[in-house]
Each structure stands twice: as C-alpha cells, then as structure tokens.
C-alpha cells in the first residue's frame, strides 16, 4: 500500500467542479472524489503556508509545534509524519514544496549536520527529499527570498531558459507587446500567457518528477507531492491563460456590513495593500481567470498521474489524497490572499480515495464531519498499519469515516494565526506575542479570539453562511461566546507536550515503584504485602556504626 | 559572580524559624533571609519532585516542557537553565538530585550518545554533573527504583558500611533493640537514630561535595546544590533524632468540613494510603520530629557552607538561593506527602540573597509578590548578565524586586498536576490524559480545575486562610469561578512553543520579503517603491519560447 499525498498551494475549497464551482471543470479531481470520499468541512490549523504545512506534517496544532508563521523554524526533535511512517515500515518522500525552515540553532546545539541522514531529515521536516523546491524564487535588492538551490530553475536552464532566475523571467512572466518582460507579480499581466512552453512550467515539471519517483519506488511508500500552484504569481502558460474570462469570475462575496465598524484586527487586514488590490474589480478580473487556469492545469496534470497509476497497475494499492494548505480570498470579504478565518481562506478541499475494499462502501460520498488538517498524519499512520501515538499526534484518523463507520468525533475545529511579523501587528501597536488569533468553529458558530485585549468576532454560519455579520458587535450573543470560550479554554489545556510517554506507557508504569522499594506509606509494614517489606538489600546490617 | 542555587527536597515553606515556625530554629536559613529577600508567596509549577524540578531547570510550565510527572523524560532539545547560563558565559553544575529522566528514545532518534558532551547535558537536564545522586535507593522484589549508579552508596561502602545498599541499611534505617534492622520506610521507626555516623549521612556528604566543587571552580559559576532531605524516609542520625518530640508537633491543620462531600479527586487523595497514615496522630508524632531533625541538620550544613564562603572571601560575590521543590502535608487537610494544591504542598520557601550592592536596599525584607519557581531561571540569566529569552523562558526575573523596584507583575500563579500514573486515576475511571489538575491562585482566590468533567474547587484565602471550605460546592461563587477560568483560558493560550524565534527576531524580519522580490500586492507596480520592481534578475528575458 502506498500513499500519494498531493497538496496544491492556496487552492480554495470551492474552486473544483465536484465542490460546485459553476465554471471550472476539474474532471480528474472529480474522478478521485467519485472513487473516494470528499470531506466538506476540512480546515487548516493556520491559514498561512508555513504554519499550516508544519501542522500537516506533524499532526499537531501550530501552538503545539511552535512554527507559527512562515520562516519560523520547526524546532529540532519535533516528531513528523515521516518519523511515524518510517516506524510503521513506510518510507516518506518529499516531491516539491514544504516551506520548512530548519532549526539551524537547535541543530548546532545538538551537533547535528545537515549532510547526515538524521540531520537532513531534521532539516526537511522528516521527509526524505526526492526533490525540494518551494517555488518562490523572488529576487530583489536584498537578493533571493529563498536561499536554497532551486531544482526547478536548474531544470529551466537545462532546457535553455536563460538567466539567473528563469522561474521569474519565464515561468512567471509574460511578454509585453514591445517584447519587454511582463512580470507575473503585477496583476495587470495576469491575462498574458507565461513566457514558457506549457510542458516546462512548474506543474508539469513536478508531475514528471513524481512519475520518476513512482517508477523507481519500492512499496510501501508515502510521497508528498506538493505543488506550488495555483499560488501566486497569478500567471499561467498557454493554453490555460485564456480558458477563462470575466464572465467566469464570480461576484465577490462581500457586504457593506463588513466595513461598518469592523473588528480592529479585521479592519487592519481590510486596509492592507493586498486587500485594497483585490477590492478592485479590474484586479479580480485579471487574477481570477489566471487562478482558474492554474487549477485547470493542475487538474490535467492530476490526470497524467492517475493515468500513470492505472497503466502501472498501482491504482488499487494507492491511497490518494488531494488537499491544500489554505484558500485564497480573491476579493471576498474585502480581502486578498489568506491570513484570516473566513471559509474562503481557512477551509480546504480534502478528498481521500482510500485503497482496497475497506473504502468501497463510501466511494463517491461526502462527509461533513469537522476535519482538521492534522488528521492526515493520523490517517496515514493507520493506513500504514501503525498505531497513532495520540500523546504526540493531535489529529485523528479519518479511516473510520472511509470505512463507513460513525465514530465519536470532535465538537469543534481550531485554527490559529500569528501575525507578529505582519504590518497589522505594528499598526495595532502590539508586541509580537500578542499578535495571535484563534478561531474556534463548532459547525455552526465561528468565533475568532484575538489576544491583546480585543473583543471576539462571532459568525453564525447557519443564519449567515456568507459570514457577513459579526454578531459579537455590541456585546451581543454573550452566551454563545461564553460557550465557545469554554471550549477554547479546554483546548488550551490540551495535553500536547508530554511526547515522551504514551497513554499505554503510563498505564504500564503504575504501581511499579512499590515493588522497587519505594514505600512511604507504612507505619509498621502491615499496609503493604509482606514481600515488599522483606530485606531485599543484601547482607544483614552491620553493627550500628553511628553510635559505636 | 557565582550562584549557589540550593534546593531542599520536600521542605515546607513554614518549617523555618524565619517563616514563623514556633519550635524549629534555623539560624542559617534566617541569616540568608536577613541578608537577602524572602519571597512569601512562592509556588511550584507542580507539587511533585520530577515535574517541579523540570520547571525550575527549564523556566517553563510543566505542560510546556511536557515532563509532567516523575519519570516522564524531559524531551531532547528542551532548553535548560544550563543552556541559557552557558550562553551568558556562566557554567552550570549539578551537585545532588535532579530527578531527571533522559529522553533515551529521543536521543537515539537524533543519534546522541550519553558519553558525548552534548549527549551528557541532554541526559542531565542541561547540567554538567559534579555529582548526581537522586537519593532514592529503594530496592524491592523488582530491583532498584533508580537504575543509575549511586555515588552516595559508593561513598558509604568506602567508609566501611556493608552491603549492596548502605543508603537503605544504614543512612535510612535504625536498629531494633534486638539488633535487627529497623527500616526508615516504617514510620514507627522514625524516632530511632539512623544507624550511621552523622558526618556520613546524606546532607553532610553533599555539603562536603559542594565545598570540594567550590574550591576548584573558576568564576563565574552556577552550582545547583540539591539535597534529598528532608524528603522521606523520615529518619535522621543522632543527635538530630531526638531534638524534637511530641510537644513540638503542631496540631494538624484540618477540619471536618473537608470530609463533608469533598470534591471527587480530593476524596480519592484523602482515601490514599499515605493520607490514611498521616491522619493517624501516632504517625505524625513519629514522623514530624524526624522531619524537623532533618531540617535542623540541613540548617547546620548550610552553616558550614556559609562559613566556607566567608572563609574563602566569596560571600559578597555569590548569590545564594534557598528553596524547595514542594512541601509536605504531614497530615494537614487529612493528607500526606504532596501532590495537591493546599499551601502546605504547593507553596515553597524562596530566599534569595542577591550579591553586590544592587540588593543592599532590600536586605532582610520580605516580598509578597506572586512568585513561581520558573522565575529562578530568568533571575539567574539576568544575574549572569544575559538577556532572558522570553520566547522560551516563561518565568520572570526576580532581580527588580531585589533592587527594590516595583515591577508590573503577574496577576496569578499556575500550578499543575498530572496524576495519570497514580491510583487515583484508576479509581476515578479516567484515561491518563484526563487525570490532570490545574491550580490558579490570584493572591486571594485559589481555584483548582480538574479535567474529566468535574466541577472546580475554590478557596478564598482571605476569609479562609486555612483552606478548609470549598466554595465551589453547590455551584456557588460562579462569578469568581468564571473570572478565574477566564485567566486560566488566557494562560492556556500562552505562547510557549515558538522557541525558535524571539520577539526581537520577529521584529527584525518584518518587511524583508518585499526587498527579496515577494510582491503579491501589485496591480502595475505603482503600489511599491520603484526599486522593488526593477529587474534584479539578471539578463533580459529571452524570446518567448512558449509560443515560439
């Protein structure tokens, strides 16, 4: 049994035809959904790449693993999906992006070298790396955003694309009418075709790398295939660049009520540059067709992968998971990017095609249970035949749902966001540690708590599924708020760091100390079994030396 | 500047003459208090040896470091006092007990060997070990409780004490009238003198080891001198065995109201063997004089240390800290041992004699601020000239108090207890993860929250300083309870795992990505400074290969 764990970056939950998109046809996603189960209430642990991914890859909440924003290193020694799967006898490989920042200080403190097997896994979030490319080869006055080597740029140069950074100059740029480069960083260029042969663009390249991996791999394996797309820059090569147009762009999901005395943290997001940009209809009409084209390309490349699995007879022995690290506001709620907790940002596609007959009863169904991204680590451990170490992994296996069971399940999902490195923290005059948000959603009510002395935000998705009306304004709905704070308090007290003792370890250690001579309970020995008061300590005591 | 960080095991806060004990005269403790500051509201992070110590040694709450009970290993990589002090240029040595369990699995996973410098520090809670002896050489049908070597047992054998375990047979046993060994594990023997020369008993031995350390050490150093006493077995050599008698034993601090419909968790503690034992007045009258004798011996040995510092001219350059890892119920509240949150158990002595003139203004004073044991790590880092990494260390430096300042301070203290390995967990039918208690005390109200669906416990120490009356019975005092739960919720959301990025690191990283080419905010480039849209990426783009 193998696991193909495919992640698309910044793919909204509702930009798939199986999820109801009116214009975007994604037959390959739909095919996996038809052969598997689509989870319709799946949420990320943080709506930002790095933090979200560290939760996917550890099965732990962001405030449990501590890598709470992009570039915050995952501390050395944190248990990962790879650690757990290898223990269960399954390799765990990376093909693509992780956004992992290695804990270089921690590794140095423990004497770990990156070129050792142990050190490399520590530096790569527990994966063995088939190919790693985070796909953000930004370059500016201070150099490259990502200081690692770029296998994709190396590939492009080998194909004849010139320069230091063909990722930027070709794969993510178009061409002006006058022949100048038209940067994909500028939304005005989003309707131009990227200046690259389609088969050389990022998504086909990574798909080819995946096929190369599959063709040489020995089962059982887990491969994390991690596409950078449809993440910005919003530009896509022909023929995808003009498949969609203004008539395919949905009206923005926003309401004037959202601008009426908004919560201070939300307001600071509404005032950001990205929000201002995506509040412009011309920007949306440029970006969204490109975004859809990128998704369409992902779907076609998924078709390549599925066909390859079929052709090599591996379809029945492979669990396929399709998901994303967060969504994309695309102008909804007067916002752009992700970074906040409306459904467009925090909800993700989650399609799981279970292998073998265990999942036959649920093929083609949907499940509306409250799923968290951390559940995948637990799911994969169970699928690999391991036992989920629930003192480390905070997620829960989805396998019972795939088997058609109706397990006791969580009552709420949690997502977090640390905006300490963002301009919003500065604007609000907060210290970094207070720039933290917590979302709790119980399936109906969604509350967002902000540290730093702010009131919460509350949405009722039953009466207001579009999340336009913040019910916490004017100190309203206090009973719901109190109830959700009580749950949040319970979550805050969760057992998350006792990673060195399992529940079973603890049961096994009970009552052992008495049989090892620790007996602070005796007046005269009658309190304990006679065998425990025997003199097990060797020869009889010598003469009292103390008073001799 | 050096730090002598002295811990006594299981020393109650009120069993010192400077703290008002009516019969026990401890002139050497009092002398340090007279030259320093005595903190009268100091609390441990958990009233149990191992968990409490891991908090002292990391400066972090037990649910932050995860070593939540005796024998739960401190996970590899956790930052310790030793790590922080060495970074500030100060060595950090251990002389005595830590109750540290090494994370052997974690060390193996990271390839760390115990016989390397890095591995040894990981295994010894960050200390360099001058001598480690945890002082609990219990031995029973299943062998030794502690599987390490015992330097103290080796010492005793070198002095001519016979057998495998002279710690048990001599240092912690007396002699019956008929010459048989009278085990110190039995309270009935607590009034007998231990069968050992006083100078060979544990407290003088460790004091001698400390003097040997001081005489060879090069400043600056921190030495954690960690006595096992006055921890049980309750037996002490002559002349300390009969210094105190029944007339020096205070009446137990207990009330029939405590037995009237007690909280289920408290009730299970009241029903334990140790509680039953210490509810017997004959047991108290045997144990408490021995306990007092052990403290008196500690005081005399402290005198030896102080005299040595004086004689070697190091008194003015040494910060001296006297504290304990928790108290001892001694029959108060119908309980024995520690393990719960009444003042007898969770409050500790905390005397800090600051070096140099900085502390001159506060010498001989007391401070009633709410102090936590984790504050010492922060205090020592500041004393050593370092900067407290407040993204790792959760305690706060006491130095402002010593300087006579009046800092903004915490509003409540937290203590925790994990009883998952205890019989109480089984009796209450709980899974291990639900056998956890949280105490929050704001200086007046003390609330104890129990996971597992129980109501809380509430004491008002202003109207009921003896903590006899649980105000949470009958759903009373809901407003205070709600307020304390709100604080506990805030604490639960604390920033505790983002250990790879400091507050300053985060401030420094702001706004950097734009200058490295990450610009998802542009429609046409007018949104950002012109320099950021320059083509920093090398040569001009080649011909459009995609559509060529």
């Amino acid at each position: 049994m193998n696991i193909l764990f495919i992640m698309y970056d910044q793919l909204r939950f509702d930009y798939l035809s199986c999820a109801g998109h009116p214009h975007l046809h994604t037959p390959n996603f739909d095919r996996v959904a038809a052969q598997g189960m689509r989870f319709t209430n799946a949420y990320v642990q943080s709506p930002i790449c790095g933090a979200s991914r560290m939760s996917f890859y550890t099965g732990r909440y962001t405030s449990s693993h501590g890598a709470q924003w992009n570039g915050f290193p995952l501390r050395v020694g944190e248990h990962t999906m790879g650690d757990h799967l290898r223990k269960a006898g399954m390799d765990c490989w990376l093909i693509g992006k992780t956004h992992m920042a290695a804990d270089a200080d921690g590794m140095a403190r423990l004497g770990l070298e990156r070129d050792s097997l142990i050190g490399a896994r520590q530096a790569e979030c527990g994966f063995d790396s088939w190919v790693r490319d985070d796909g953000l080869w930004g370059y500016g006055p201070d150099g490259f955003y990502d200081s690692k080597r770029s296998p994709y740029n190396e590939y492009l140069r080998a194909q004849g694309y010139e320069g230091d950074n063909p990722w930027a100059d070709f794969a993510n740029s178009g061409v002006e009418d006058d022949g100048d480069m038209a940067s994909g960083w500028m939304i005005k260029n989003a309707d131009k075709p990227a200046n690259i042969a389609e088969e050389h663009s990022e998504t086909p390249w990574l798909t080819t790398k995946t096929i190369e991996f599959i063709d040489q791999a020995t089962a059982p394996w887990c491969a994390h295939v991690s596409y950078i797309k449809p993440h910005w820059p919003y530009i896509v090569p022909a023929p995808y660049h003009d498949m969609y147009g203004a008539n395919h762009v949905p009206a923005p999901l926003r309401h004037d009520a959202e601008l009426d005395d908004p919560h201070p943290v939300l307001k600071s997001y509404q005032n950001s540059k990205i929000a201002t940009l995506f509040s412009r209809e011309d920007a949306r009409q440029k970006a969204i067709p490109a975004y859809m084209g990128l998704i369409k390309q992902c779907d076609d490349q998924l078709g390549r992968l599925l066909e390859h699995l079929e052709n090599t007879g591996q379809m029945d022995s492979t669990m396929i998971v399709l998901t994303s690290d967060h969504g994309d506001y695309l102008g909804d709620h007067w916002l752009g990017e992700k970074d906040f907790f409306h459904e467009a940002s925090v909800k993700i596609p989650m399609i799981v095609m279970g292998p073998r007959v265990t999942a036959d009863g649920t093929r083609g169904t949907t499940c509306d249970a409250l799923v968290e991204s951390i559940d995948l680590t637990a799911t994969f451990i169970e699928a690999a035949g391991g036992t989920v170490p629930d003192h480390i992994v905070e997620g829960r296996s989805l396998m019972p749902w795939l088997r058609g069971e109706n397990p006791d399940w969580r009552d709420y999902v949690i997502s977090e966001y640390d905006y300490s490195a963002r301009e919003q923290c500065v604007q609000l005059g907060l210290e970094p540690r207070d720039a933290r948000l917590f979302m709790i959603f119980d399936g109906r009510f969604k509350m967002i708590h902000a540290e730093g002395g702010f009131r919460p935000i509350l949405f009722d998705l039953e009466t207001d599924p579009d999340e336009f009306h913040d019910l916490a304004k004017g100190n309203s709905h206090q009973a719901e708020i109190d109830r959700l704070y009580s749950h949040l308090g319970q979550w805050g007290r969760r057992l998350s760091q006792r990673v060195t003792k399992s529940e079973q370890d603890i049961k096994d250690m009970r009552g052992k100390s008495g049989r090892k001579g620790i007996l602070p309970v005796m007046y005269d020995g009658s309190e304990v079994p006679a065998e425990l008061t025997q003199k097990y300590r060797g020869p009889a005591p010598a003469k009292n030396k103390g008073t001799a």
Side-chain angles (χ1 to χ4, degrees), chain A:
Chain A
M1 209 279 291
N2 304 314
I3 299 172
L4 202 54
F5 164 31
I6 307 180
M7 185 176 288
Y8 301 91
D9 199 314
Q10 200 145 327
L11 174 60
R12 265 176 76 133
F13 75 98
D14 55 355
Y15 268 60
L16 298 173
S17 42
C18 58
H21 196 281
H23 303 298
L24 188 56
H25 184 48
T26 51
N28 293 296
F29 278 89
D30 297 2
R31 176 181 168 196
V32 179
Q35 292 292 312
M37 181 176 266
R38 188 166 63 85
F39 292 89
T40 59
N41 280 305
Y43 293 86
V44 284
Q45 265 44 75
S46 183
I48 181 76
C49 299
S52 173
R53 287 160 180 273
M54 296 308 109
S55 285
F56 269 106
Y57 306 152
T58 60
R60 291 160 60 75
Y61 294 101
T62 70
S63 60
S64 297
H65 61 63
Q68 286 160 277
W69 205 63
N70 289 340
F72 292 10
L74 185 73
R75 72 168 154 200
V76 67
E78 188 73 6
H79 294 76
T80 61
M81 179 185 283
D83 294 320
H84 300 302
L85 291 183
R86 281 189 291 271
K87 203 167 175 178
M90 179 178 274
D91 286 343
C92 190
W93 288 86
L94 168 68
I95 305 167
K97 169 172 177 169
T98 62
H99 223 122
M100 167 75 179
D103 178 10
D105 288 349
M107 288 177 64
R109 198 160 56 89
L110 296 181
L112 299 179
E113 303 285 350
R114 271 177 191 252
D115 58 4
S116 67
L117 182 64
I118 290 172
R121 286 175 177 167
Q122 288 296 316
E124 293 290 1
C125 202
F127 293 106
D128 289 318
S129 181
W130 182 252
V131 60
R132 174 170 177 187
D133 193 300
D134 279 4
L136 279 179
W137 302 102
Y139 184 87
D142 293 345
F144 274 101
Y145 171 70
D146 187 336
S147 60
K148 295 184 289 298
R149 60 171 274 253
S150 166
Y152 180 61
N153 261 336
E154 291 169 11
Y155 164 80
L156 288 184
R157 282 194 290 270
Q159 306 306 314
Y161 296 88
E162 295 173 2
D164 291 337
N165 192 7
W167 174 89
D169 297 348
F170 298 94
N172 287 281
S173 288
V175 181
E176 301 282 5
D177 292 341
D178 64 5
D180 268 6
M181 192 180 72
S183 170
W185 289 111
M186 298 187 194
I187 299 285
K188 75 178 171 71
N189 296 325
D191 58 353
K192 293 185 168 64
N195 184 20
I196 193 168
E198 193 271 334
E199 67 267 26
H200 297 154
S201 63
E202 292 162 274
T203 302
W205 170 73
L206 202 72
T207 305
T208 301
K209 287 288 172 191
T210 304
I211 290 170
E212 289 171 4
F213 169 81
I214 292 172
D215 285 348
Q216 60 75 55
T218 306
W221 49 257
C222 172
H224 176 43
V225 182
S226 186
Y227 292 100
I228 178 65
K229 295 301 177 187
H231 191 286
W232 42 254
Y234 300 105
I235 191 164
V236 62
Y240 299 99
H241 73 294
D242 63 358
M243 282 187 181
Y244 306 97
N247 56 325
H248 302 113
V249 175
L253 196 69
R254 63 194 185 201
H255 193 290
D256 286 344
E258 297 179 279
L259 303 177
D260 175 26
D261 188 25
H263 188 282
V265 180
L266 180 57
K267 184 177 181 179
S268 74
Y269 275 98
Q270 289 170 345
N271 291 339
S272 68
K273 277 184 180 150
I274 188 77
T276 304
L277 177 59
F278 272 91
S279 294
R280 290 170 57 173
E281 199 50 30
D282 57 349
R284 292 183 74 250
Q285 293 193 4
K286 289 273 189 176
I288 292 176
Y291 182 70
M292 292 169 69
L294 288 165
I295 296 169
K296 184 67 179 172
Q297 188 185 26
C298 287
D299 186 74
D300 286 341
Q301 293 297 317
L302 175 60
R304 266 183 81 200
L305 276 184
L306 297 178
E307 189 181 3
H308 189 75
L309 289 175
E310 285 282 14
N311 292 344
T312 55
Q314 298 184 74
M315 200 59 144
D316 291 342
S317 59
T318 304
M319 170 183 256
I320 300 175
V321 175
L322 307 175
T323 190
S324 177
D325 58 348
H326 52 74
D328 191 327
Y329 273 110
L330 297 171
D332 289 354
H333 305 288
W334 312 95
L335 297 172
E337 274 259 68
K338 47 268 182 178
D339 310 301
F340 213 75
F341 299 105
H342 297 90
E343 300 280 273
S345 171
V346 73
K347 186 187 265 198
I348 49 169
M350 176 72 79
I351 303 170
V352 182
M353 195 185 93
R356 304 210 182 106
V357 293
T358 50
D360 280 353
T362 61
R363 294 192 190 282
T365 64
T366 59
C367 174
D368 62 1
L370 291 169
V371 165
E372 298 185 315
S373 62
I374 55 178
D375 294 340
L376 285 186
T377 293
T379 304
F380 296 169
I381 295 169
E382 184 177 345
T387 301
V388 179
D390 62 4
H391 60 304
I392 302 173
V393 174
E394 297 181 276
R396 299 183 55 181
S397 172
L398 300 174
M399 294 298 285
W401 297 112
L402 297 175
R403 288 191 296 262
E405 299 166 8
N406 190 20
D408 275 342
W409 202 247
R410 63 170 64 87
D411 296 324
Y412 50 82
V413 291
I414 298 284
S415 191
E416 304 176 74
Y417 194 84
D418 182 326
Y419 61 104
S420 56
R422 301 292 301 264
E423 62 195 13
Q424 287 80 7
C425 175
V426 180
Q427 287 163 6
L428 292 165
L430 298 174
E431 286 301 303
R433 64 176 56 249
D434 288 328
R436 292 181 298 129
L437 305 172
F438 297 81
M439 178 202 86
I440 178 165
F441 176 53
D442 68 2
R444 175 174 175 181
F445 287 99
K446 182 188 282 188
M447 185 180 80
I448 297 157
H449 165 78
E451 295 295 313
F454 301 104
R455 69 164 174 86
I457 294 171
L458 182 71
F459 298 116
D460 178 352
L461 274 75
E462 189 172 296
T463 61
D464 175 29
D466 292 334
E467 306 175 280
F468 291 150
H469 304 286
D470 177 0
L471 300 178
K473 283 183 191 171
N475 297 315
S476 185
H477 288 73
Q478 200 57 48
E480 290 305 334
I481 289 171
D482 287 348
R483 185 179 61 81
L484 291 165
Y485 267 112
S486 173
H487 286 313
L488 188 60
Q490 180 189 42
W491 176 82
R493 296 186 305 266
R494 75 196 179 281
L495 185 69
S496 69
Q497 305 303 326
R498 197 198 68 198
V499 296
T500 60
K501 280 280 180 189
S502 71
E503 297 282 284
Q504 191 58 50
D505 289 340
I506 287 170
K507 291 177 180 175
D508 292 345
M509 74 188 280
R510 289 176 186 154
K512 295 285 173 68
S513 64
R515 292 186 55 85
K516 291 181 173 180
I518 302 297
L519 299 163
V521 294
M522 302 190 292
Y523 186 82
D524 55 16
S526 63
E527 298 85 350
V528 300
E531 60 170 349
L532 300 187
T533 64
Q534 299 300 309
K535 297 177 185 65
Y536 284 96
R537 40 183 87 98
K543 191 159 165 291
N544 181 343
K545 300 186 58 140
T547 55

